[in-house]
């Protein structure tokens, strides 16, 4: 079945244009005119990806993004007329997968949505990455740490999960910030401090789950997992 795109946009003209371009590329679409309806459709339809306008009635895009991230790992692209770094960083810090500024080319929007879906769908059924006492299930998007006979599940955003998985595929290798952006947030114009923010939160979650020191920062270079494969 074709992938379903939920377009949360109160401007009917923009929503109609986006729907037309996505349908032309073989997607199914659903449309919500406000944030509350968007969350209702997200729960009932379980879309493959959400395009959320920042300035929507009832619930704004930030609130929609936060709730979707709380529910699970549906990829979200923020769409806005605001083009300030602070807005871009806010969206990426709380788990947005990409950030598109109006006015935009709808062809580019579709292309970037496809890229986000490709990244989200890299997992193969049953694929598992294990490194040290860390286990990452790529099919269920779950990660856990085994310590003292107990398995502790990590509650990660989609971006944090991607970063951890990328680091775990080549344990002990040091990745630069640029490499991590290209691998986990391509097309997002993420800044170095954005990656630092994601990894700081990831490190805290690893430490709290018993993986103290697992994520190491190498001064002047980047980051690596400080565990043996």
């Amino acid at each position: 079945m074709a992938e379903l795109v939920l377009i949360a946009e109160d401007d009917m003209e923009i929503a109609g244009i986006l729907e037309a371009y996505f349908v032309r590329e073989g997607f199914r679409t659903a449309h919500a005119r406000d944030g509350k309806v968007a969350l209702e459709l997200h729960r009932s339809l379980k879309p493959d990806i959400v395009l959320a306008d920042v300035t929507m009635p009832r619930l704004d895009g930030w609130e929609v993004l936060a709730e979707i991230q709380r529910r699970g790992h549906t990829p979200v692209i923020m769409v806005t007329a605001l083009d300030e770094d602070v807005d871009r960083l806010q969206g990426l810090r709380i788990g947005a997968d990409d950030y598109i500024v109006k006015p935009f080319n709808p062809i580019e929007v579709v292309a970037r949505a496809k890229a986000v879906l490709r990244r989200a769908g890299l997992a193969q059924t049953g694929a598992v990455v294990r490194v040290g006492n860390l286990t990452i299930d790529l099919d269920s998007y779950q990660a856990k740490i085994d310590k003292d006979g107990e398995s502790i599940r990590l509650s990660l955003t989609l971006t944090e999960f991607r970063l951890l998985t990328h680091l775990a595929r080549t344990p002990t290798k040091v990745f630069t910030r640029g490499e991590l952006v290209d691998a986990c947030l391509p097309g997002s114009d993420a800044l170095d401090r954005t990656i630092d923010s994601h990894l700081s939160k990831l490190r805290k979650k690893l430490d709290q789950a018993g993986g103290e020191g697992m994520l190491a920062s190498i001064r002047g270079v980047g980051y690596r997992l400080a565990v043996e494969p």
Side-chain angles (χ1 to χ4, degrees), residues 63-96:
E63 294 171 294
V64 169
L65 172 61
E67 175 60 19
I68 289 175
Q69 289 297 314
R70 188 188 69 79
R71 293 177 182 179
H73 298 298
T74 306
V76 178
I77 296 177
M78 301 302 290
V79 182
T80 180
L82 305 175
D83 191 18
E84 300 292 335
D85 280 347
V86 65
D87 298 302
R88 189 183 306 271
L89 288 171
Q90 180 180 355
L92 294 173
R93 279 173 178 164
I94 61 176

Side-chain angles (χ1 to χ4, degrees), residues 9 41 121 137 212:
E9 169 63 67
L41 291 179
D137 188 321
E212 296 90 347

Side-chain angles (χ1 to χ4, degrees), residues 4-223:
L4 175 62
V5 181
L6 173 57
I7 300 170
E9 169 63 67
D10 61 320
D11 187 314
M12 294 299 293
E13 182 178 359
I14 292 176
I17 292 171
L18 287 173
E19 285 190 290
Y21 274 83
F22 274 104
V23 168
R24 190 177 70 178
E25 291 296 314
F27 289 87
R28 294 178 296 132
T29 64
H31 175 228
R33 296 186 65 173
D34 63 64
K36 190 173 187 301
V37 173
L39 290 178
E40 291 170 355
L41 291 179
H42 175 263
R43 187 178 297 279
S44 62
L45 299 179
K46 297 178 173 56
D48 297 286
I49 189 169
V50 176
L51 271 66
D53 184 40
V54 169
T55 55
M56 288 186 292
R58 302 177 79 184
L59 295 174
D60 66 24
W62 303 130
E63 294 171 294
V64 169
L65 172 61
E67 175 60 19
I68 289 175
Q69 289 297 314
R70 188 188 69 79
R71 293 177 182 179
H73 298 298
T74 306
V76 178
I77 296 177
M78 301 302 290
V79 182
T80 180
L82 305 175
D83 191 18
E84 300 292 335
D85 280 347
V86 65
D87 298 302
R88 189 183 306 271
L89 288 171
Q90 180 180 355
L92 294 173
R93 279 173 178 164
I94 61 176
D97 294 270
D98 205 345
Y99 188 107
I100 294 173
V101 178
K102 299 175 184 176
F104 51 70
N105 183 333
I107 295 175
E108 180 186 356
V109 176
V110 174
R112 288 168 71 165
K114 287 180 178 179
V116 168
L117 285 166
R118 280 196 300 273
R119 298 200 302 272
L122 286 178
Q124 299 178 1
T125 301
V128 174
V129 175
R130 292 187 178 89
V131 53
N133 62 343
L134 171 68
T135 301
I136 303 172
D137 188 321
L138 301 177
D139 187 36
S140 64
Y141 284 85
Q142 294 182 3
K144 64 180 182 179
I145 289 178
D146 296 316
K147 186 172 183 180
D148 300 327
E150 181 182 4
S151 291
I152 302 173
R153 181 178 170 182
L154 297 165
S155 179
L156 305 176
T157 66
L158 184 56
T159 298
E160 290 164 356
F161 183 87
R162 287 177 183 151
L163 287 166
L164 181 60
T165 300
H166 191 69
L167 291 164
R169 288 185 187 278
T170 315
T172 73
K173 171 179 168 59
V174 179
F175 291 91
T176 67
R177 292 174 176 84
E179 288 173 331
L180 292 173
V181 169
D182 290 342
C184 304
L185 289 167
S188 68
D189 297 327
L191 306 175
D192 283 355
R193 61 181 180 273
T194 309
I195 284 292
D196 289 340
S197 176
H198 284 303
L199 289 167
S200 176
K201 293 177 181 178
L202 175 58
R203 178 187 285 114
K204 183 177 180 180
K205 292 177 181 180
L206 288 169
D207 290 349
Q208 290 175 341
E212 296 90 347
M214 182 176 289
L215 178 58
S217 56
I218 309 303
R219 187 178 180 84
V221 184
Y223 296 86

